[in-house]
């Protein structure tokens, strides 16, 4: 006598019989598809600048900016190797430009931010206006605007590129084209957009020149630094963030780009921050000073000590807290505006 089919055998037979018809049982994957809380495949990671810089300089010997089009070392999340992603939704890389070089003009629907890490005197041209780069400046390339980079500096210039490449890839919405020119003709004096839109004033009759993206494409470090310094001195320090401000699109008060939010924060000397977590994984670039971040997720715990020009990533829903004996300044960016647009942004400030 045969024993009745156990359910397991019945199910396995069902799965294999229907598989050729591209059918699969939800109940085997439901828990992973609709998790009780975010469970990012990404891991925390730190890139020490002293380790990265020699490879950047070797890249400078190995290929020109023009040959490479963009001479960038991609910061890949260790758990997402081969995907050119630092989180599931964000791309980050360090771009090098040497004196006299040009990274030729092109445009793409992906939005880009630049955060200047080392060197002065390179420029990026956006829509006919050049912006000279200084360390700590935050610069935007709006979606679908022509941009080229060049350098009249005396030495290497390195900046952090942050792009929404994985988001656009996920949506299968990417277009790109090369310009007919290598560099754009300068059409406006440097600083025009900052004067027009960056003085808490705006032209009397204007349309948003770059749609949902900020009309300011350079946010100089000096201004952000001064604001944070004054607030550190004269206003209460937040127990989680220290003194943290977000960059804004002055026409909307929202994020400078539709997909990416950017922040700068100062941790005062002696800061011992409380832990927090948020659904938007964030990428940090250390501007000044020293500090450490403790990142915890489930049973995993990592502590990174950081100094100027180091980069690190805190993935979604990982608990993080900062300490800084000496004080420090941190730039960061995340995909928060996407979470907010979908109404699913979530953060917790723990004690
Ligand atoms: O500067 O246009 O890091 O198109 C990756 C893709 C930089 C850029 C990157 C890009 C750029």
């Amino acid at each position: 006598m045969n024993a009745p089919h156990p359910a397991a055998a019945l199910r396995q037979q069902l799965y294999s019989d229907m598989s050729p018809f591209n059918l699969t049982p939800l109940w085997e994957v439901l828990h992973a598809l609709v998790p009780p809380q975010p469970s990012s495949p990404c891991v925390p990671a730190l890139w020490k600048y002293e380790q990265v810089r020699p490879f950047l300089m070797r890249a400078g010997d190995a290929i020109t900016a023009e040959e490479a089009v963009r001479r960038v070392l991609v910061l890949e999340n260790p758990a997402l190797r081969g995907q050119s992603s630092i989180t599931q939704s964000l791309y980050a890389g360090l771009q090098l430009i040497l004196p006299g070089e040009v990274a030729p003009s092109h445009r793409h629907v992906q939005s880009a931010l630049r955060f200047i890490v080392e060197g002065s005197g390179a420029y990026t041209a956006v829509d006919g206006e050049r912006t000279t780069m200084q360390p700590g400046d935050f610069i935007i390339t709006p979606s679908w605007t022509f941009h080229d980079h060049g350098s009249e500096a005396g030495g290497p210039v390195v900046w952090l590129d942050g792009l929404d490449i994985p988001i656009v890839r996920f949506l299968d919405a990417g277009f790109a084209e090369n310009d007919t020119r290598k560099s754009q003709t300068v059409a406006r004096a440097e600083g025009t957009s900052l004067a027009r839109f960056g003085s808490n004033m705006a032209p009397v009759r204007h349309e948003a020149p770059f749609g949902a993206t900020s009309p300011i494409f350079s946010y100089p470090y000096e201004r952000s630094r001064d604001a944070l310094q004054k607030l550190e001195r004269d206003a209460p320090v937040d127990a989680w963030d220290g003194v943290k401000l977000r960059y804004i699109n002055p026409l909307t008060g929202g994020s400078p780009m539709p997909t990416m939010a950017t922040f700068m924060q100062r941790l005062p000397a002696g800061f011992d921050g409380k832990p927090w977590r948020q659904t938007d994984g964030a990428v940090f670039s250390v501007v000044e000073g020293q500090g450490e971040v403790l990142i915890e997720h489930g049973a995993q715990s990592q502590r990174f000590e950081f100094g100027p020009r180091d980069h690190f990533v805190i993935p979604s829903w990982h608990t993080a807290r900062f300490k800084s004996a000496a004080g420090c300044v941190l730039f960061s960016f995340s995909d928060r505006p996407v979470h907010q647009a979908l109404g699913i942004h979530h953060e917790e400030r723990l004690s």
Side-chain angles (χ1 to χ4, degrees):
M1 273 256 298
N2 283 345
H5 270 304
L10 197 68
R11 289 173 193 173
Q12 282 312 320
Q13 193 60 50
L14 169 64
Y15 303 166
S16 61
D17 288 350
M18 67 185 175
S19 178
F21 298 90
N22 304 309
L23 294 168
T24 199
L26 171 65
W27 57 88
E28 295 289 344
V29 292
L30 182 58
H31 195 73
L33 285 183
V34 188
Q37 56 179 348
S39 64
S40 175
C42 303
V43 293
L46 170 72
W47 290 264
K48 295 293 286 180
Y49 197 64
E50 70 202 34
Q51 285 168 350
V52 173
R53 193 179 189 279
F55 294 117
L56 270 169
M57 296 309 137
R58 277 170 64 182
D61 292 334
I63 191 163
T64 65
E66 198 169 342
E67 280 178 293
V69 182
R70 297 294 183 262
R71 191 206 284 116
V72 178
L73 301 186
V74 181
L75 307 182
E76 282 198 324
N77 192 286
L80 303 176
R81 295 306 308 271
Q83 296 182 41
S84 302
S85 301
I86 191 159
T87 68
Q88 296 250 77
S89 56
L90 296 173
Y91 161 102
L94 289 168
Q95 180 157 178
L96 167 69
I97 195 142
L98 292 169
E101 287 192 320
V102 171
S105 181
H106 71 186
R107 64 178 174 177
H108 37 71
V109 302
Q110 291 83 356
S111 295
L113 68 86
R114 329 281 172 190
F115 185 71
I116 317 312
V117 168
E118 177 185 344
S120 300
Y123 63 83
T124 187
V126 172
D127 194 43
E129 185 177 330
R130 280 190 183 180
T131 297
T132 305
M133 299 173 165
Q134 309 286 349
D137 291 355
F138 156 53
I139 291 171
I140 294 176
T141 310
S143 177
W144 206 242
T145 51
F146 281 113
H147 53 284
D148 53 89
H149 317 299
S151 179
E152 286 149 16
V157 176
V158 176
W159 64 83
L160 172 70
D161 280 327
L163 286 91
D164 54 9
I165 286 173
I167 297 176
V168 174
R169 180 171 59 195
F170 175 73
L171 298 171
D172 286 332
F175 293 88
E177 67 183 21
N178 291 324
D179 204 340
T180 50
R181 309 152 295 180
K182 194 163 114 178
S183 327
Q184 294 170 66
T185 319
V186 174
R188 281 192 306 283
E190 176 158 3
T192 303
S193 56
L194 190 62
R196 268 201 190 116
F197 294 101
S199 317
N200 290 323
M201 303 182 91
V204 177
R205 282 169 289 278
H206 70 269
E207 288 173 30
F210 302 108
T213 302
S214 172
I216 300 177
F217 30 76
S218 175
Y219 295 73
Y221 182 44
E222 213 186 323
R223 291 192 184 190
S224 319
R225 189 175 195 273
D226 286 353
L228 294 177
Q229 251 175 6
K230 179 157 177 46
L231 292 173
E232 179 188 339
R233 204 182 55 218
D234 299 335
V237 169
D238 183 81
W240 291 267
D241 291 337
V243 182
K244 185 171 185 177
L245 295 175
R246 63 186 176 88
Y247 291 87
I248 60 163
N249 173 344
L251 296 181
T252 63
S255 59
M257 287 155 289
T259 47
M260 293 184 284
T262 49
F263 307 87
M264 189 170 270
Q265 73 196 102
R266 193 170 158 80
L267 307 180
F271 186 74
D272 187 358
K274 291 184 177 180
W276 47 270
R277 56 184 175 173
Q278 60 190 33
T279 51
D280 49 324
V283 179
F284 288 77
S285 180
V286 183
V287 194
E288 291 185 51
Q290 318 277 337
E292 59 177 82
V293 59
L294 182 71
I295 307 175
E296 292 176 306
H297 190 62
Q300 259 114 48
S301 162
Q302 262 170 300
R303 200 175 70 93
F304 297 145
E305 286 180 13
F306 54 76
R309 300 169 176 165
D310 292 346
H311 293 84
F312 59 91
V313 57
I314 304 176
S316 166
W317 216 238
H318 283 50
T319 300
R321 68 191 160 95
F322 286 119
K323 280 189 194 185
S324 180
C328 61
V329 179
L330 306 174
F331 171 84
S332 60
F333 71 97
S334 81
D335 58 354
R336 186 175 300 190
V338 181
H339 296 235
Q340 290 173 325
L342 300 177
I344 59 169
H345 186 252
H346 205 69
E347 68 177 332
E348 272 181 9
R349 312 188 103 197
L350 309 160
S351 49

